[in-house]
Amino acid sequence: MPVESKIPGVYPEGKKAEDPQVEDEKSVSEVRNLKEAYTLYSPLTNMPYAECEEENYNDQVRLYQKREDAETAGKELEEKGIRVTVRELKTVEVQVPVKPDRPGGEKKRLYLNQVREYLSILPILGINGVCYKPQGQDGRFLELSGLLPEDFEKKMAESGTYQPTLQLTGLYLMQEARRKKEYVDMKNLQALDEEFSSNLVRSRLYLAVLPPAGQEKSPKLNLKECQLPYLKHQNGDTFFPVFTDVWEYRKYAAQGKKNLRPIQVPFRDLSRFWVKDAKAYMLNPMGFSLPISREMIPRILEKFGVGEETSEDSKAE
């Protein structure tokens, strides 16, 4: 029986360095231990640039060992009308309270690996792979499940607070819709809109509510007594923020909105909640920012055979 070597750079007996399996194992180990890397972000969605891998149709992001390779890829995409920016992921020092319940007390030093943090959000977006490009080598597809801790994706799926399919189809839709006009494929755009809408009608969205004073931590809320926050666009338009998942909600609430509470409602019930004088709902305002007018909701529901209901199927978190 062959004995596997434990010495770095020495391959197990019977395997060669150029074997795809060995190269993948090397790449997985390398990515897991990266202290810095570079990835592509889409300014069209404020999110990682996502793409469907051509051979097996995996949904992937790109990760580069060197900035120069990421910048070259960005220029190639720009020539196709796809705007991206290069984002650096590094290891940073942070100061956190020794005792979480005493934020102003003694601090301790921790090091945050942004590469690992980046990989950990990808399941929320429906991404299942990473195209990793080491310096001077071709990119190679790596399964996301092999880069994350065991059962990480399963635990996230079981939490019930994320809707990765809705996130992913929203990303693809807005990446295409906001390309330079001369590059937009209208047939593809229509197909993406159809797929996103079919996921949307069966979704449960998060809303942010402001409880009455003194009831911020109450286990049960009377929604009729709560206030609904709104967004004010720089042009003066008002929007009602809604969210695909608790991650998107937290990004919004982190902007100094400490007393907000999330509630989850079926999309079919969304029009029951409204901010006076709002122009539209704004889905994921910190992410792909997709406006949905109130009038569109019954039309979308009718198209996919889902009726509006007046249920009490809404719950506070």
Side-chain angles (χ1 to χ4, degrees):
M1 178 181 295
V3 178
E4 293 198 359
S5 171
K6 303 298 183 182
I7 304 174
V10 178
Y11 296 95
E13 183 179 340
K15 293 184 178 180
K16 298 180 180 179
E18 64 270 17
D19 287 346
Q21 182 182 348
V22 174
E23 291 302 311
D24 284 350
E25 290 172 357
K26 282 177 56 185
S27 295
V28 166
S29 177
E30 190 171 305
V31 170
R32 282 178 169 177
N33 291 287
L34 284 172
K35 297 295 188 294
E36 64 178 27
Y38 301 86
T39 190
L40 302 181
Y41 259 68
S42 171
L44 309 177
T45 63
N46 302 310
M47 300 287 274
Y49 172 67
E51 61 186 353
C52 186
E53 178 259 331
E54 294 181 357
E55 184 175 347
N56 296 306
Y57 303 103
N58 289 296
D59 300 298
Q60 68 177 22
V61 295
R62 303 189 192 186
L63 190 67
Y64 299 85
Q65 190 178 41
K66 293 298 179 182
R67 176 185 288 274
E68 293 78 8
D69 290 331
E71 291 175 342
T72 298
K75 291 176 182 177
E76 292 172 353
L77 290 171
E78 184 74 31
E79 293 173 357
K80 301 176 183 178
I82 303 172
R83 291 168 51 205
V84 294
T85 59
V86 175
R87 182 165 296 189
E88 180 182 18
L89 306 172
K90 56 186 179 180
T91 302
V92 296
E93 180 182 316
V94 294
Q95 299 285 333
V96 300
V98 173
K99 296 182 179 180
D101 59 340
R102 297 181 60 185
E106 183 183 356
K107 300 291 193 298
K108 61 182 177 180
R109 180 186 304 171
L110 293 179
Y111 292 92
L112 175 65
N113 186 313
Q114 294 178 339
V115 178
R116 294 177 186 174
E117 183 183 39
Y118 173 74
L119 295 174
S120 72
I121 70 169
L122 297 181
I124 299 173
L125 307 180
I127 299 296
N128 71 330
V130 173
C131 180
Y132 173 59
K133 189 179 188 309
Q135 183 180 18
Q137 301 178 43
D138 293 333
R140 57 199 61 169
F141 177 82
L142 304 175
E143 292 281 353
L144 183 62
S145 58
L147 300 173
L148 295 171
E150 187 176 357
D151 291 334
F152 184 86
E153 291 176 292
K154 181 181 178 182
K155 290 176 182 177
M156 293 192 70
E158 291 174 347
S159 74
T161 58
Y162 305 106
Q163 298 184 103
T165 302
L166 185 61
Q167 270 272 26
L168 183 65
T169 52
L171 287 178
Y172 281 145
L173 172 62
M174 300 315 290
Q175 283 181 179
E176 182 64 29
R178 292 170 179 163
R179 288 176 73 176
K180 294 179 180 178
K181 290 183 179 180
E182 61 268 30
Y183 292 96
V184 174
D185 182 335
M186 295 306 299
K187 185 176 181 180
N188 183 41
L189 182 61
Q190 184 177 0
L192 291 172
D193 181 61
E194 190 90 2
E195 186 176 6
F196 171 76
S197 297
S198 69
N199 291 318
L200 183 63
V201 297
R202 294 169 178 82
S203 69
R204 293 178 60 88
L205 301 181
Y206 280 89
L207 280 63
V209 301
L210 182 62
Q215 298 185 36
E216 290 83 2
K217 296 184 179 180
S218 174
K220 290 187 177 181
L221 292 176
N222 183 342
L223 297 182
K224 293 180 180 179
E225 298 177 354
C226 296
Q227 297 179 25
L228 298 173
Y230 60 88
L231 296 168
K232 198 77 170 181
H233 194 271
Q234 59 186 10
N235 66 4
D237 289 337
T238 299
F239 294 92
F240 182 5
V242 294
F243 313 91
T244 56
D245 50 58
V246 73
W247 180 60
E248 289 288 345
Y249 161 78
R250 287 172 180 164
K251 288 195 291 182
Y252 172 77
Q255 309 298 306
K257 303 173 177 64
K258 297 180 180 179
N259 293 327
L260 290 179
R261 291 271 298 277
I263 65 168
Q264 198 176 26
V265 303
F267 176 76
R268 65 177 183 272
D269 293 347
L270 183 59
S271 58
R272 295 170 52 205
F273 302 86
W274 186 245
V275 174
K276 184 180 178 181
D277 298 327
K279 183 176 182 179
Y281 298 94
M282 184 63 74
L283 183 58
N284 291 357
M286 310 301 291
F288 52 63
S289 301
L290 194 158
I292 302 172
S293 72
R294 199 178 190 188
E295 295 74 24
M296 287 174 60
I297 294 176
R299 295 201 297 267
I300 295 174
L301 292 172
E302 182 180 4
K303 179 178 180 179
F304 291 92
V306 180
E308 286 187 284
E309 296 185 9
T310 56
S311 68
E312 297 300 321
D313 188 20
S314 304
K315 58 182 181 178
E317 299 294 319

